[in-house]
């Protein structure tokens, strides 16, 4: 993923090669969480409850996490200014490609709407690059995901009696309709407090 961004992406858009350090981190942990720090860095935690996004990786695949927001922000101002972007792109070597937007806010509905726009524009920008399109197209699991550390049921679920026990009732997140994202053969998923994306 790193070369696809640093070299192929910038070449396609006629930009200088990105030299920003630490764009990508890797893990093979069977369980990990990801957090976006106030400094704009992506960090991985292996203890429960620290990150905004939770992942199970039962076969301990090698997972690459690219800080797409940091990458895009490092590009020339006239290219990246006002261009919506998600926080990260997560992939393994064979099966999964995940675009993720991370939040930690009680205003789930507002941020869901914003995240959908960020994810769709990120997907559109990335898939315009032929090498990235080819890489993404070969994956089996293709998702755009909104992760919010805080919990609130989507409107279509009557879970008022659950009192924020969403992870126990719906541990695998919510698949939701998004025609724009689906046009690219991706799915839109939402993960709230305690819900975990299984990279299987």
């Amino acid at each position: 993923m790193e070369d696809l961004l640093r070299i192929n992406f910038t070449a396609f858009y006629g930009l200088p090669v990105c030299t920003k350090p630490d764009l990508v981190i890797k893990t093979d942990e069977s369980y990990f969480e990801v957090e976006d720090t106030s400094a704009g860095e992506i960090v991985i935690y292996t203890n429960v409850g620290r990150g905004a996004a939770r992942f199970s990786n039962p076969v301990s695949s090698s997972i690459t996490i690219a800080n797409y927001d940091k990458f895009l922000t490092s590009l020339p101002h006239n290219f990246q200014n006002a261009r919506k972007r998600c926080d990260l792109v997560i992939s393994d070597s064979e099966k999964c490609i995940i675009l993720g937007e991370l939040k930690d806010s009680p205003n789930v509905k507002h941020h869901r709407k914003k995240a959908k726009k960020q994810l769709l524009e990120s997907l559109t920008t990335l898939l315009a690059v032929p090498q990235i399109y080819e890489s993404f197209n070969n994956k089996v699991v293709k998702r755009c995901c909104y992760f919010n550390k805080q919990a609130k049921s989507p409107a279509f679920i009557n879970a008022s009696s659950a009192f924020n026990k969403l992870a126990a009732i719906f541990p695998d997140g919510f698949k939701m309709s998004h025609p724009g994202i689906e046009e690219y053969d991706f799915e839109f998923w939402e993960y709230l407090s305690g819900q975990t994306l299984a990279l299987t």
Side-chain angles (χ1 to χ4, degrees), residues 96-172:
C96 298
I97 188 75
I98 311 292
L99 274 66
E101 177 62 21
L102 309 178
K103 296 293 179 198
D104 184 6
S105 169
N107 193 345
V108 172
K109 183 177 178 181
H110 168 75
H111 287 297
R112 179 190 300 125
K113 184 176 180 180
K114 185 177 176 185
K116 286 178 178 180
K117 291 178 182 176
Q118 291 171 278
L119 289 161
L120 179 57
E121 187 162 337
S122 299
L123 192 59
T124 302
T125 302
L126 286 162
L127 289 178
V129 181
Q131 296 88 344
I132 294 177
Y133 177 86
E134 183 179 343
S135 173
F136 285 16
N137 197 43
N138 289 331
K139 304 294 185 181
V140 177
V141 176
K142 297 184 277 188
R143 294 184 182 179
C144 288
C145 301
Y146 163 52
F147 300 95
N148 194 324
K149 201 170 185 177
Q150 301 193 33
K152 184 178 179 183
S153 303
F156 64 86
I157 294 182
N158 184 2
S160 57
S161 62
F163 296 104
N164 288 336
K165 295 180 182 175
L166 289 176
I169 301 168
F170 304 100
D172 302 320

Side-chain angles (χ1 to χ4, degrees), residues 4 8 11-12 20 26 28-29 41 63 68 86 93 95 111 115 128-129 137 139 141 162 167 178 185 191-192 196:
L4 289 172
N8 300 116
F12 177 80
K20 192 82 170 176
K26 296 185 178 185
D28 61 1
E29 294 287 342
E41 300 295 335
I63 306 297
Y68 182 67
C86 63
S93 58
K95 192 173 181 182
H111 287 297
V129 181
N137 197 43
K139 304 294 185 181
V141 176
H178 192 298
D185 198 28
Y191 296 86
L192 303 177
T196 303

Side-chain angles (χ1 to χ4, degrees), residues 25-29 32 44 46 57 60-65:
I25 54 178
K26 296 185 178 185
T27 184
D28 61 1
E29 294 287 342
F32 63 96
I44 294 175
T46 55
N57 181 23
S60 295
S61 297
S62 178
I63 306 297
T64 299
I65 304 168

Side-chain angles (χ1 to χ4, degrees), residues 120 123 127 142 144 175-189:
L120 179 57
L123 192 59
L127 289 178
K142 297 184 277 188
C144 288
K175 181 181 176 183
M176 304 173 84
S177 175
H178 192 298
I181 288 172
E182 290 158 15
E183 278 185 20
Y184 290 107
D185 198 28
F186 273 67
E187 299 172 343
F188 176 67
W189 284 73

Side-chain angles (χ1 to χ4, degrees), residues 1-7 9-10 16-26 34 40-44 63-75 87-90:
M1 191 71 224
E2 186 162 11
D3 286 346
L4 289 172
L5 293 175
R6 288 191 187 275
I7 300 168
F9 183 104
T10 54
V17 172
C18 175
T19 58
K20 192 82 170 176
D22 305 319
L23 288 181
V24 170
I25 54 178
K26 296 185 178 185
V34 179
E41 300 295 335
I42 299 294
V43 293
I44 294 175
I63 306 297
T64 299
I65 304 168
N67 188 335
Y68 182 67
D69 182 29
K70 179 179 178 179
F71 165 70
L72 211 66
T73 302
S74 75
L75 299 178
D87 290 314
L88 45 89
V89 180
I90 299 173

Side-chain angles (χ1 to χ4, degrees), residues 13-16 72-83 85:
Y13 286 107
L15 304 169
L72 211 66
T73 302
S74 75
L75 299 178
H77 182 75
N78 62 346
F79 177 81
Q80 59 100 0
N81 186 42
R83 189 180 293 265
R85 78 283 310 262

